[in-house]
Amino acid sequence: MTVDLSVDYCGIKHENPFILAPSPSTDNLDFLIKAFEAGWAGAVLKTVAVDSRIVSRVFPMVTRVEQEAAFIGLQNIDLVSEHSVEIVEKNVRVLKERFPHKIVVPSIMAFSKEDWQALAKRFVDAGADIIECSIWHPHGTEWTLCTQVNEPVGTEKIAGWVKEAAGDVPVVIKLSALDSDIIATAEAVERSGADGVSAINTIKSITGVNLDTLIPYPNIAGLSTYGGLSGPALKPIALRCTAEIAQKVNLDIAASGGITSWKDGAEFLLLGASTLQICTSVLRFGLGIIDELKQGLASWMEDKGFQNLTDFIGKSLPYLVEHSRLPRGIQVVSHINKEVCNGCGVCFTACRTGGHEAILLAEGFPKVEASKCIGCGICHAMCFLKAITLIRPGGEPKPAS
């Protein structure tokens, strides 16, 4: 079976759902040309302000976020595009002339109604397929030249201004998980007449503190600042935001935050996203990951019998219910697969400290006392080898998941 990866987002057909998210990479015309040649469906250009040239950068701008040497994300203190509006305008024209079927999305930021509308009109005239508005910025707010709006009324007003100026060109508003009520803001976007949302922006964060110098990272000549967290650490939050918006608001969603593999992408699509914006994974693995993303998603679709993306976009949403609607009275117990278990003892410790002391150590390996196990799942969650499954008492164990 041949599957179709194309998708309609805000009325614009994308050849596949994979889009480059705004970043330093998408501020470079040569890089964007290579990306489109490699097979990316489109790109959101790095956010541009009315006069980005006054922005003053500091270095280093990016630090690694890790836990026990495992990469979990990046924190950046980068600001808006260093290019003038004229240069970004020219890049849009070049890209659309050379790649008429690729999706080029300028990201704009402004302070006044006049500036929001002027930027929108300029990029519409340049041939932009979609206009994305970066209303809220997690760091460097004194440099962003943006109305600092993080509430529905202001968002609705700005979205309406831009939509009025953009006319038939779709307008997308980028949302933040730090919003006090992201659903209320998404509803405001819907009321404004805008066409979609992008969720989510990076999250204001601190990478850590150097215990020798006592200076938080990154160290900029003895001082530090807050930055925007991106990468795998954001995925659970971004999934939640995507699902909540999809359940409550009738807007197209571009998902962003922690998408590393085609599996991540499939999860976001199942929870209601139409397109997938990716940045950190490209920085780690390069533009060539687009082949794996497309092939992996296509193979999974074939296995599941899905012919196109609309067959499964939002298909997991009906399974998400309020806690009060979850079924009660279903008993499960832990089962340890000895063929997979290496006797590390993590499950024993977890059950002793947070469970019901239902796991014993016998000859160096854990054993479950079914009469004590309540099925809380702490041991299952802690087992890195996936040697533990939760089964009905007396039931047959299934393969680890």
Short mmCIF file of all heavy atoms in Angstrom, two decimals, residues 141-193:
data_model
loop_
_atom_site.label_atom_id
_atom_site.label_comp_id
_atom_site.label_asym_id
_atom_site.label_seq_id
_atom_site.Cartn_x
_atom_site.Cartn_y
_atom_site.Cartn_z
N THR A 141 13.38 39.83 26.96
CA THR A 141 12.20 40.62 26.61
C THR A 141 12.52 42.09 26.35
O THR A 141 11.80 42.76 25.61
CB THR A 141 11.14 40.53 27.73
OG1 THR A 141 11.76 40.90 28.98
CG2 THR A 141 10.61 39.12 27.85
N GLU A 142 13.60 42.59 26.95
CA GLU A 142 13.93 44.00 26.72
C GLU A 142 14.45 44.26 25.31
O GLU A 142 14.53 45.40 24.86
CB GLU A 142 14.98 44.48 27.75
CG GLU A 142 16.37 43.89 27.57
CD GLU A 142 16.56 42.58 28.28
OE1 GLU A 142 15.58 41.82 28.41
OE2 GLU A 142 17.68 42.29 28.70
N TRP A 143 14.78 43.14 24.59
CA TRP A 143 15.31 43.29 23.23
C TRP A 143 14.32 42.89 22.15
O TRP A 143 14.57 43.08 20.97
CB TRP A 143 16.57 42.43 23.05
CG TRP A 143 17.76 42.91 23.82
CD1 TRP A 143 18.27 42.37 24.96
CD2 TRP A 143 18.59 44.03 23.51
NE1 TRP A 143 19.36 43.08 25.38
CE2 TRP A 143 19.58 44.10 24.50
CE3 TRP A 143 18.60 44.98 22.49
CZ2 TRP A 143 20.57 45.08 24.51
CZ3 TRP A 143 19.58 45.95 22.49
CH2 TRP A 143 20.55 46.01 23.50
N THR A 144 13.21 42.28 22.54
CA THR A 144 12.36 41.66 21.52
C THR A 144 11.51 42.65 20.72
O THR A 144 10.96 42.30 19.69
CB THR A 144 11.40 40.64 22.16
OG1 THR A 144 10.63 41.30 23.16
CG2 THR A 144 12.17 39.50 22.80
N LEU A 145 11.40 43.88 21.20
CA LEU A 145 10.59 44.88 20.50
C LEU A 145 9.15 44.45 20.34
O LEU A 145 8.45 44.85 19.43
CB LEU A 145 11.18 45.16 19.10
CG LEU A 145 12.68 45.46 19.05
CD1 LEU A 145 13.11 45.67 17.61
CD2 LEU A 145 13.01 46.69 19.87
N CYS A 146 8.69 43.62 21.25
CA CYS A 146 7.36 43.01 21.10
C CYS A 146 6.43 43.45 22.22
O CYS A 146 6.86 43.64 23.36
CB CYS A 146 7.49 41.50 21.13
SG CYS A 146 5.94 40.60 21.12
N THR A 147 5.17 43.60 21.90
CA THR A 147 4.17 43.79 22.93
C THR A 147 4.19 42.54 23.80
O THR A 147 3.94 41.45 23.31
CB THR A 147 2.77 43.92 22.30
OG1 THR A 147 2.89 44.60 21.05
CG2 THR A 147 1.83 44.66 23.20
N GLN A 148 4.47 42.68 25.08
CA GLN A 148 4.55 41.49 25.93
C GLN A 148 3.14 41.05 26.33
O GLN A 148 2.60 41.48 27.34
CB GLN A 148 5.42 41.77 27.15
CG GLN A 148 6.89 41.89 26.80
CD GLN A 148 7.42 40.67 26.08
OE1 GLN A 148 7.35 39.55 26.59
NE2 GLN A 148 7.92 40.84 24.88
N VAL A 149 2.57 40.24 25.52
CA VAL A 149 1.18 39.81 25.70
C VAL A 149 1.15 38.34 26.09
O VAL A 149 1.72 37.50 25.43
CB VAL A 149 0.38 40.02 24.40
CG1 VAL A 149 -1.03 39.46 24.58
CG2 VAL A 149 0.32 41.49 24.06
N ASN A 150 0.51 38.03 27.19
CA ASN A 150 0.40 36.65 27.62
C ASN A 150 -1.01 36.40 28.16
O ASN A 150 -1.20 35.70 29.12
CB ASN A 150 1.45 36.36 28.70
CG ASN A 150 1.58 34.88 28.96
OD1 ASN A 150 1.23 34.07 28.12
ND2 ASN A 150 2.08 34.53 30.13
N GLU A 151 -1.97 37.01 27.54
CA GLU A 151 -3.35 36.82 28.00
C GLU A 151 -4.30 36.97 26.82
O GLU A 151 -3.95 37.56 25.79
CB GLU A 151 -3.67 37.79 29.14
CG GLU A 151 -3.19 39.22 28.91
CD GLU A 151 -4.14 40.05 28.07
OE1 GLU A 151 -5.32 39.72 28.03
OE2 GLU A 151 -3.69 41.03 27.46
N PRO A 152 -5.50 36.42 26.92
CA PRO A 152 -6.39 36.31 25.76
C PRO A 152 -6.76 37.62 25.09
O PRO A 152 -6.77 37.69 23.86
CB PRO A 152 -7.64 35.64 26.36
CG PRO A 152 -7.14 34.88 27.53
CD PRO A 152 -6.04 35.71 28.10
N VAL A 153 -7.06 38.67 25.85
CA VAL A 153 -7.55 39.91 25.23
C VAL A 153 -6.51 40.50 24.30
O VAL A 153 -6.79 40.85 23.15
CB VAL A 153 -7.95 40.93 26.32
CG1 VAL A 153 -8.35 42.25 25.66
CG2 VAL A 153 -9.10 40.40 27.17
N GLY A 154 -5.27 40.61 24.78
CA GLY A 154 -4.22 41.17 23.94
C GLY A 154 -3.90 40.30 22.75
O GLY A 154 -3.64 40.79 21.64
N THR A 155 -3.92 38.99 22.96
CA THR A 155 -3.65 38.06 21.86
C THR A 155 -4.70 38.18 20.77
O THR A 155 -4.39 38.21 19.58
CB THR A 155 -3.61 36.60 22.38
OG1 THR A 155 -2.59 36.48 23.37
CG2 THR A 155 -3.33 35.63 21.25
N GLU A 156 -5.95 38.25 21.18
CA GLU A 156 -7.04 38.38 20.21
C GLU A 156 -6.91 39.66 19.40
O GLU A 156 -7.13 39.67 18.18
CB GLU A 156 -8.39 38.35 20.94
CG GLU A 156 -9.59 38.42 20.00
CD GLU A 156 -10.91 38.29 20.74
OE1 GLU A 156 -10.90 38.00 21.96
OE2 GLU A 156 -11.96 38.47 20.09
N LYS A 157 -6.51 40.71 20.06
CA LYS A 157 -6.37 42.00 19.40
C LYS A 157 -5.27 41.94 18.33
O LYS A 157 -5.47 42.32 17.18
CB LYS A 157 -6.05 43.08 20.43
CG LYS A 157 -5.97 44.48 19.86
CD LYS A 157 -5.59 45.48 20.94
CE LYS A 157 -6.64 45.56 22.02
NZ LYS A 157 -6.30 46.60 23.04
N ILE A 158 -4.09 41.41 18.72
CA ILE A 158 -2.96 41.35 17.79
C ILE A 158 -3.27 40.40 16.64
O ILE A 158 -3.00 40.70 15.46
CB ILE A 158 -1.68 40.91 18.51
CG1 ILE A 158 -1.23 42.01 19.47
CG2 ILE A 158 -0.56 40.59 17.52
CD1 ILE A 158 -0.06 41.63 20.35
N ALA A 159 -3.85 39.24 16.95
CA ALA A 159 -4.20 38.28 15.91
C ALA A 159 -5.17 38.90 14.90
O ALA A 159 -5.05 38.69 13.69
CB ALA A 159 -4.79 37.02 16.53
N GLY A 160 -6.11 39.68 15.41
CA GLY A 160 -7.06 40.35 14.52
C GLY A 160 -6.39 41.38 13.63
O GLY A 160 -6.72 41.49 12.44
N TRP A 161 -5.45 42.14 14.20
CA TRP A 161 -4.71 43.12 13.39
C TRP A 161 -4.00 42.44 12.23
O TRP A 161 -4.09 42.88 11.08
CB TRP A 161 -3.65 43.82 14.25
CG TRP A 161 -4.17 44.71 15.32
CD1 TRP A 161 -5.42 45.26 15.42
CD2 TRP A 161 -3.42 45.17 16.46
NE1 TRP A 161 -5.50 46.02 16.55
CE2 TRP A 161 -4.30 45.99 17.21
CE3 TRP A 161 -2.12 44.96 16.91
CZ2 TRP A 161 -3.88 46.60 18.39
CZ3 TRP A 161 -1.71 45.57 18.08
CH2 TRP A 161 -2.58 46.38 18.81
N VAL A 162 -3.29 41.37 12.55
CA VAL A 162 -2.48 40.70 11.53
C VAL A 162 -3.36 40.03 10.49
O VAL A 162 -3.08 40.10 9.28
CB VAL A 162 -1.52 39.68 12.18
CG1 VAL A 162 -0.71 38.95 11.11
CG2 VAL A 162 -0.58 40.38 13.16
N LYS A 163 -4.45 39.43 10.93
CA LYS A 163 -5.35 38.79 9.98
C LYS A 163 -5.97 39.82 9.05
O LYS A 163 -6.14 39.57 7.84
CB LYS A 163 -6.45 38.00 10.72
CG LYS A 163 -7.36 37.20 9.80
CD LYS A 163 -6.56 36.19 8.96
CE LYS A 163 -7.42 35.49 7.94
NZ LYS A 163 -6.63 34.63 7.04
N GLU A 164 -6.31 40.95 9.57
CA GLU A 164 -6.87 42.03 8.75
C GLU A 164 -5.88 42.44 7.66
O GLU A 164 -6.26 42.67 6.50
CB GLU A 164 -7.20 43.22 9.64
CG GLU A 164 -7.76 44.43 8.91
CD GLU A 164 -7.98 45.60 9.85
OE1 GLU A 164 -8.94 45.53 10.65
OE2 GLU A 164 -7.19 46.56 9.82
N ALA A 165 -4.60 42.51 8.02
CA ALA A 165 -3.58 42.93 7.06
C ALA A 165 -3.21 41.82 6.09
O ALA A 165 -2.89 42.08 4.92
CB ALA A 165 -2.33 43.39 7.81
N ALA A 166 -3.27 40.56 6.55
CA ALA A 166 -2.83 39.43 5.72
C ALA A 166 -3.86 39.01 4.69
O ALA A 166 -3.52 38.36 3.70
CB ALA A 166 -2.47 38.24 6.61
N GLY A 167 -5.12 39.35 4.91
CA GLY A 167 -6.16 38.99 3.95
C GLY A 167 -6.34 37.49 3.82
O GLY A 167 -6.61 36.80 4.81
N ASP A 168 -6.17 36.96 2.62
CA ASP A 168 -6.39 35.53 2.38
C ASP A 168 -5.23 34.66 2.83
O ASP A 168 -5.35 33.42 2.85
CB ASP A 168 -6.64 35.29 0.89
CG ASP A 168 -7.95 35.91 0.42
OD1 ASP A 168 -8.86 36.08 1.26
OD2 ASP A 168 -8.05 36.24 -0.78
N VAL A 169 -4.10 35.26 3.17
CA VAL A 169 -2.95 34.46 3.62
C VAL A 169 -3.19 34.03 5.07
O VAL A 169 -3.50 34.87 5.92
CB VAL A 169 -1.64 35.27 3.51
CG1 VAL A 169 -0.48 34.52 4.13
CG2 VAL A 169 -1.35 35.58 2.05
N PRO A 170 -3.07 32.74 5.36
CA PRO A 170 -3.34 32.26 6.73
C PRO A 170 -2.42 32.90 7.77
O PRO A 170 -1.25 33.17 7.50
CB PRO A 170 -3.08 30.76 6.62
CG PRO A 170 -3.24 30.44 5.18
CD PRO A 170 -2.76 31.64 4.44
N VAL A 171 -2.97 33.11 8.95
CA VAL A 171 -2.23 33.67 10.08
C VAL A 171 -2.23 32.66 11.22
O VAL A 171 -3.29 32.12 11.59
CB VAL A 171 -2.85 35.00 10.55
CG1 VAL A 171 -2.21 35.47 11.85
CG2 VAL A 171 -2.70 36.05 9.46
N VAL A 172 -1.05 32.41 11.77
CA VAL A 172 -0.88 31.46 12.87
C VAL A 172 -0.26 32.19 14.06
O VAL A 172 0.66 32.99 13.89
CB VAL A 172 0.04 30.30 12.43
CG1 VAL A 172 0.43 29.43 13.61
CG2 VAL A 172 -0.64 29.46 11.35
N ILE A 173 -0.76 31.90 15.25
CA ILE A 173 -0.26 32.53 16.47
C ILE A 173 0.52 31.48 17.27
O ILE A 173 0.00 30.40 17.56
CB ILE A 173 -1.39 33.10 17.33
CG1 ILE A 173 -2.28 34.03 16.50
CG2 ILE A 173 -0.82 33.80 18.55
CD1 ILE A 173 -1.56 35.23 15.93
N LYS A 174 1.75 31.81 17.64
CA LYS A 174 2.54 30.89 18.44
C LYS A 174 2.18 31.05 19.91
O LYS A 174 2.17 32.17 20.44
CB LYS A 174 4.04 31.14 18.23
CG LYS A 174 4.91 30.04 18.81
CD LYS A 174 6.27 30.00 18.14
CE LYS A 174 6.99 28.71 18.48
NZ LYS A 174 8.25 28.58 17.73
N LEU A 175 1.87 29.93 20.56
CA LEU A 175 1.44 29.94 21.95
C LEU A 175 2.53 29.44 22.88
O LEU A 175 3.43 28.72 22.48
CB LEU A 175 0.19 29.07 22.11
CG LEU A 175 -1.02 29.44 21.25
CD1 LEU A 175 -2.18 28.51 21.57
CD2 LEU A 175 -1.42 30.89 21.47
N SER A 176 2.41 29.82 24.15
CA SER A 176 3.38 29.42 25.17
C SER A 176 2.72 28.58 26.25
O SER A 176 1.62 28.90 26.70
CB SER A 176 4.01 30.66 25.81
OG SER A 176 4.78 30.30 26.94
N ALA A 177 3.43 27.54 26.68
CA ALA A 177 2.93 26.73 27.80
C ALA A 177 2.97 27.49 29.11
O ALA A 177 2.38 27.07 30.10
CB ALA A 177 3.75 25.44 27.92
N LEU A 178 3.69 28.62 29.13
CA LEU A 178 3.75 29.45 30.33
C LEU A 178 2.54 30.37 30.46
O LEU A 178 2.39 31.06 31.46
CB LEU A 178 5.04 30.28 30.32
CG LEU A 178 6.34 29.49 30.39
CD1 LEU A 178 7.54 30.42 30.32
CD2 LEU A 178 6.40 28.65 31.66
N ASP A 179 1.70 30.38 29.44
CA ASP A 179 0.46 31.15 29.51
C ASP A 179 -0.37 30.63 30.68
O ASP A 179 -0.48 29.42 30.90
CB ASP A 179 -0.31 30.97 28.20
CG ASP A 179 -1.41 31.99 28.02
OD1 ASP A 179 -2.14 32.24 28.99
OD2 ASP A 179 -1.55 32.50 26.89
N SER A 180 -0.96 31.53 31.42
CA SER A 180 -1.76 31.11 32.57
C SER A 180 -2.96 30.27 32.17
O SER A 180 -3.46 29.47 32.96
CB SER A 180 -2.23 32.34 33.37
OG SER A 180 -3.02 33.19 32.55
N ASP A 181 -3.43 30.42 30.93
CA ASP A 181 -4.55 29.61 30.43
C ASP A 181 -4.42 29.51 28.92
O ASP A 181 -4.97 30.32 28.17
CB ASP A 181 -5.88 30.24 30.83
CG ASP A 181 -7.07 29.32 30.52
OD1 ASP A 181 -6.91 28.38 29.71
OD2 ASP A 181 -8.15 29.54 31.11
N ILE A 182 -3.69 28.50 28.46
CA ILE A 182 -3.40 28.38 27.03
C ILE A 182 -4.67 28.12 26.23
O ILE A 182 -4.77 28.53 25.07
CB ILE A 182 -2.34 27.28 26.78
CG1 ILE A 182 -1.77 27.41 25.36
CG2 ILE A 182 -2.91 25.90 27.04
CD1 ILE A 182 -0.57 26.52 25.11
N ILE A 183 -5.67 27.48 26.85
CA ILE A 183 -6.92 27.22 26.13
C ILE A 183 -7.69 28.52 25.93
O ILE A 183 -8.22 28.79 24.85
CB ILE A 183 -7.80 26.20 26.90
CG1 ILE A 183 -7.05 24.88 27.04
CG2 ILE A 183 -9.12 25.98 26.15
CD1 ILE A 183 -6.56 24.29 25.74
N ALA A 184 -7.74 29.37 26.95
CA ALA A 184 -8.41 30.67 26.80
C ALA A 184 -7.73 31.49 25.72
O ALA A 184 -8.40 32.18 24.93
CB ALA A 184 -8.40 31.41 28.13
N THR A 185 -6.42 31.42 25.65
CA THR A 185 -5.70 32.17 24.62
C THR A 185 -5.96 31.58 23.24
O THR A 185 -6.14 32.31 22.26
CB THR A 185 -4.20 32.20 24.93
OG1 THR A 185 -3.99 32.77 26.23
CG2 THR A 185 -3.44 33.02 23.90
N ALA A 186 -5.99 30.25 23.14
CA ALA A 186 -6.30 29.62 21.86
C ALA A 186 -7.71 29.99 21.41
O ALA A 186 -7.97 30.22 20.22
CB ALA A 186 -6.16 28.10 21.97
N GLU A 187 -8.65 30.04 22.35
CA GLU A 187 -10.02 30.45 22.01
C GLU A 187 -10.04 31.90 21.53
O GLU A 187 -10.82 32.25 20.63
CB GLU A 187 -10.92 30.26 23.24
CG GLU A 187 -11.17 28.80 23.58
CD GLU A 187 -11.89 28.61 24.90
OE1 GLU A 187 -11.90 29.57 25.73
OE2 GLU A 187 -12.43 27.52 25.14
N ALA A 188 -9.17 32.73 22.11
CA ALA A 188 -9.08 34.12 21.67
C ALA A 188 -8.56 34.20 20.24
O ALA A 188 -9.02 35.02 19.44
CB ALA A 188 -8.17 34.91 22.60
N VAL A 189 -7.60 33.34 19.92
CA VAL A 189 -7.08 33.28 18.55
C VAL A 189 -8.20 32.89 17.59
O VAL A 189 -8.35 33.47 16.51
CB VAL A 189 -5.92 32.27 18.45
CG1 VAL A 189 -5.50 32.08 16.99
CG2 VAL A 189 -4.72 32.74 19.28
N GLU A 190 -9.02 31.92 17.99
CA GLU A 190 -10.13 31.48 17.14
C GLU A 190 -11.12 32.63 16.92
O GLU A 190 -11.58 32.85 15.80
CB GLU A 190 -10.82 30.28 17.78
CG GLU A 190 -11.90 29.67 16.93
CD GLU A 190 -12.50 28.42 17.55
OE1 GLU A 190 -12.49 28.30 18.80
OE2 GLU A 190 -12.97 27.55 16.80
N ARG A 191 -11.41 33.37 17.96
CA ARG A 191 -12.35 34.49 17.83
C ARG A 191 -11.81 35.58 16.91
O ARG A 191 -12.55 36.29 16.25
CB ARG A 191 -12.66 35.09 19.21
CG ARG A 191 -13.51 34.23 20.10
CD ARG A 191 -14.04 35.03 21.29
NE ARG A 191 -12.98 35.61 22.10
CZ ARG A 191 -12.41 35.01 23.14
NH1 ARG A 191 -12.81 33.78 23.49
NH2 ARG A 191 -11.46 35.60 23.84
N SER A 192 -10.49 35.71 16.88
CA SER A 192 -9.87 36.78 16.09
C SER A 192 -10.01 36.58 14.59
O SER A 192 -9.84 37.52 13.82
CB SER A 192 -8.38 36.86 16.43
OG SER A 192 -7.66 35.79 15.82
N GLY A 193 -10.30 35.34 14.18
CA GLY A 193 -10.37 35.04 12.76
C GLY A 193 -9.08 34.48 12.20
O GLY A 193 -9.00 34.14 11.01
#
